[in-house]
Structure formats: structure tokens, C-alpha cells
């Protein structure tokens, strides 16, 4: 039965009617399907390239804005109050743009940049050379992250961990003030007791009776 069906199919393909159906219907249909698949693959590749190009442009723009704001932060001590407010606004906006990037390590890069910017502001007061060096490191770090996100992500994580350890080891001004307040509070009971004892001795001396005849 199967062999008979196969023979019938072969005879139909070899017949004039079969050849007409193959050349006028089957082959054009297969060509249309293959052409659609190829066109879809080409369009998919073009869309991926377009999205990747847009991501690169957006990433470059965000990094460039952060670096431009960092240059102003390196001269923080020379800026007027309105200029400082404007630079702070630029820094905040650029930092948010970096955090929103769909790139590996974007959050770490923003945290690293925020710490570097704060350091540049502080060093711009007395150490202009150090501020310039911080700016160079800042630019090199962000450019390296833009080129090789995975490698720069590890460096950012190491720097943040080291800075966190240093911050924990050195007490801040608020912590030093709180420590002094605790020491002062601990010394108060002893001082109060000493004052009370001194006052009692003075009162006792004041009421002692004077010898007769004097």
C-alpha cells in the first residue's frame, strides 16, 4: 500500500499536471518563505546594530557629561555660590544618567564617581595639584569603564571596598563630637559630687562656733 502511494506520487510529479503545480505554486511558495526568513534575519540584525549604536551614544553622552561636571568640581574652591549650585545640579543629573545606563557595573560606576567628585571638591581647597591628579584618575576610570565595563567594574568594586574600610577606620567629625560628648557626660557625676562635697565643707566651716573671749 505504501509503495503504491509512493509510485502514484512519483507518477504525479512526472506528469504534466504535477510539473505545472510544482513550477507555478510550490516553488514560488518556497521562495517566498525563504525570502521572508532571510529578510527577517537581516532586519533583526539591523535593529540590533541600531539599538547597540544608540546605547553607545547614550553611554558616551552620559560619561561625557559626568566628566565635564568633574572638571568644574576640580575647581570647586574658586566657584561662586550660584556656580556651585549649578555644578551640583549637573553632577546629580549626570550621576543619575550613568545609573540608568543598561551597562554592566553602571551603579558601581556612579558610586565610584560620586566618591571621586567629593574628593576633588575637598582637595580643590588647598591642593590644586592633587585635585588635578584626581581629575585625571576620574577621567581615565570612566573612559576605561566605557571601553571595558567588566574589567573596570572590578576596579571600581575594589576602590569602593578600600574607601569603605578607610572611612570605617577613621572616625568622622560627627563621631568625634559624639565621643567628646559622651566623655563629658561621663565626667559630670564626679564633678557634681566634688562640687557638693566642697559646698558641704564650706557650710560646715561657716557654722563652727567661735571660741569665747575672742
Amino acid at each position: 500500500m505504501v509503495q503504491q502511494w509512493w509510485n502514484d506520487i512519483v507518477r504525479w510529479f512526472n506528469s504534466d499536471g504535477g510539473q505545472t503545480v510544482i513550477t507555478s505554486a510550490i516553488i514560488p511558495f518556497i521562495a517566498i518563505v525563504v525570502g521572508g526568513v532571510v529578510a527577517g534575519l537581516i532586519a533583526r540584525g539591523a535593529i540590533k546594530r541600531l539599538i547597540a549604536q544608540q546605547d553607545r551614544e547614550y553611554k558616551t553622552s552620559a560619561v561625557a557629561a559626568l566628566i565635564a561636571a568633574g572638571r568644574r568640581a576640580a575647581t570647586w574652591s574658586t566657584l561662586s555660590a550660584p556656580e556651585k549650585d549649578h555644578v551640583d545640579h549637573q553632577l546629580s543629573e549626570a550621576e543619575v544618567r550613568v545609573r540608568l545606563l543598561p551597562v554592566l557595573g553602571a551603579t558601581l560606576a556612579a558610586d565610584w564617581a560620586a566618591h571621586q567628585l567629593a574628593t576633588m571638591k575637598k582637595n580643590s581647597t588647598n591642593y590644586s595639584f592633587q585635585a588635578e591628579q584626581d581629575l585625571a584618575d576620574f577621567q581615565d576610570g570612566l573612559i576605561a569603564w566605557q571601553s571595558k565595563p567588566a574589567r573596570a567594574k572590578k576596579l571600581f568594586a575594589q576602590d569602593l571596598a578600600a574607601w569603605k574600610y578607610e572611612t570605617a577606620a577613621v572616625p568622622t567629625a560627627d563621631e568625634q563630637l559624639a565621643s567628646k560628648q559622651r566623655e563629658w557626660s561621663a565626667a559630670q557625676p564626679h564633678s557634681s559630687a566634688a562640687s557638693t562635697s566642697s559646698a558641704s565643707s564650706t557650710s560646715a566651716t561657716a557654722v563652727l562656733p567661735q571660741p569665747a573671749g575672742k
Side-chain angles (χ1 to χ4, degrees):
M1 175 96 39
V2 175
Q3 185 176 2
Q4 183 179 354
W5 287 350
W6 176 253
N7 292 332
D8 293 340
I9 293 173
V10 171
R11 282 196 299 270
W12 178 80
F13 271 104
N14 293 328
S15 66
D16 294 338
Q19 292 295 322
T20 302
V21 172
I22 292 174
T23 56
S24 62
I26 297 178
I27 292 178
F29 175 76
I30 294 175
I32 292 173
V33 171
V34 173
V37 172
V38 173
L41 293 175
I42 294 174
R44 182 181 179 183
I47 292 173
K48 284 186 176 181
R49 288 192 297 270
L50 179 60
I51 293 175
Q53 181 180 359
Q54 291 178 345
D55 289 342
R56 285 194 300 269
E57 291 177 354
Y58 185 72
K59 180 182 177 183
T60 301
S61 176
V63 171
L66 195 56
I67 291 176
R71 291 173 181 168
R72 300 296 302 278
T75 59
W76 183 259
S77 60
T78 63
L79 301 178
S80 62
E83 288 176 330
K84 289 181 179 179
D85 292 338
H86 180 64
V87 172
D88 276 335
H89 176 72
Q90 288 182 325
L91 292 175
S92 300
E93 183 178 354
E95 183 182 339
V96 171
R97 289 178 63 185
V98 171
R99 289 185 185 277
L100 294 178
L101 287 175
V103 183
L104 182 65
T107 301
L108 282 176
D111 293 340
W112 181 86
H115 186 278
Q116 288 288 77
L117 291 169
T119 302
M120 280 192 287
K121 287 181 181 180
K122 181 179 65 176
N123 291 337
S124 68
T125 304
N126 299 318
Y127 306 102
S128 58
F129 174 77
Q130 184 60 44
E132 292 176 358
Q133 184 62 41
D134 292 338
L135 176 60
D137 294 340
F138 179 73
Q139 292 176 341
D140 293 342
L142 290 178
I143 292 174
W145 173 68
Q146 182 182 6
S147 302
K148 298 179 180 179
R151 181 178 179 183
K153 177 186 174 182
K154 295 180 180 178
L155 297 178
F156 289 164
Q158 292 174 359
D159 287 343
L160 289 171
W163 292 334
K164 184 178 180 180
Y165 176 78
E166 292 175 0
T167 302
V170 179
T172 62
D174 293 339
E175 292 174 344
Q176 292 177 357
L177 179 59
S179 177
K180 290 180 179 179
Q181 289 176 344
R182 287 193 296 268
E183 292 176 359
W184 181 83
S185 299
Q188 289 309 299
H190 177 71
S191 300
S192 300
S195 299
T196 303
S197 176
S198 177
S200 300
S201 300
T202 303
S203 300
T205 303
V207 299
L208 285 176
Q210 296 295 330
K214 292 186 180 180

